Amino acid sequence: MMSSLATAAASSAKSQISNLKPQISNQIEMFNIDRSYIDAPQFEETLQSRLITIRSKNKNNPTLPKPEQFGLSDEDFEDYIDRKEDLTDWQKDMKRRGPLWLVIIFCIPPVLITWQHPDDDTLFWLSFVAGLVPCLIIWLLYKLIARQRERRLYDERAERYIEALQQWAEKNKQ
């Protein structure tokens, strides 16, 4: 009796599952959309990824320049390209978001002054200058900080090695 109940329950479950399969496949097909625009590479190839690719694909090639030839260890070189990539990312971020903050800072004084004194042209032009001066100061500070970070990061040996890798890759079409 128990085995017949178990068999009946199993066959009932199988029939329910087989009935669900077409429904599930129809739902999956319903959501089949062209994902080529999503799955396409959205990232740009960075210097770091190019160098890592060159080094990993050709690590057994005896003609590939080695960091030791330039007075660097592998760890020093990888640390250098990581820091260089971080600096590049920071600069890109500042180029993308910086103008927004400068516009906001620039617009606040004229908006506030014209709201309080809509008919006074002299105050408007003074507020225009009051918005422009902080923007110029912030922009100059950004340029000075970026230049200082670049100088602090620069390593002649690592740059020569990067140049040698790129020349080697160009010569060997990697």
Side-chain angles (χ1 to χ4, degrees), residues 6-7 9 11 22-24 35 39 41 45 57 63 68 70 77-78 81 96 101 124 126 128 147 159:
T7 308
S11 66
Q23 293 173 355
I24 292 172
R35 296 179 52 96
D39 297 334
E45 187 175 354
K57 283 185 177 179
T63 62
E68 292 80 23
F70 296 86
F77 178 68
E78 288 172 7
I81 59 173
R96 196 173 59 241
W101 289 108
F124 171 76
L126 286 175
F128 181 81
R147 186 170 293 143
E159 290 296 327

Side-chain angles (χ1 to χ4, degrees), residues 139-149 151:
W139 181 75
L140 286 173
L141 283 173
Y142 160 71
K143 290 294 184 184
L144 289 172
I145 290 170
R147 186 170 293 143
Q148 181 64 27
R149 285 184 176 186
R151 276 193 214 130

Side-chain angles (χ1 to χ4, degrees), residues 29 115 132 161:
E29 287 175 13
W115 184 34
L132 186 62
Y161 181 55

Side-chain angles (χ1 to χ4, degrees), residues 33-56:
I33 58 172
D34 179 26
R35 296 179 52 96
S36 61
Y37 67 95
I38 297 171
D39 297 334
Q42 299 273 328
F43 61 91
E44 61 184 55
E45 187 175 354
T46 62
L47 174 68
Q48 182 180 17
S49 66
R50 283 192 312 255
L51 294 176
I52 288 171
T53 302
I54 292 168
R55 291 179 71 206
S56 64

Side-chain angles (χ1 to χ4, degrees), residues 100-125:
L100 173 67
W101 289 108
L102 292 177
V103 166
I104 290 170
I105 292 168
F106 175 76
C107 290
I108 288 175
V111 167
L112 291 177
I113 294 298
T114 54
W115 184 34
Q116 294 294 322
H117 307 283
D119 297 330
D120 197 349
D121 287 343
T122 307
L123 280 178
F124 171 76
W125 290 109

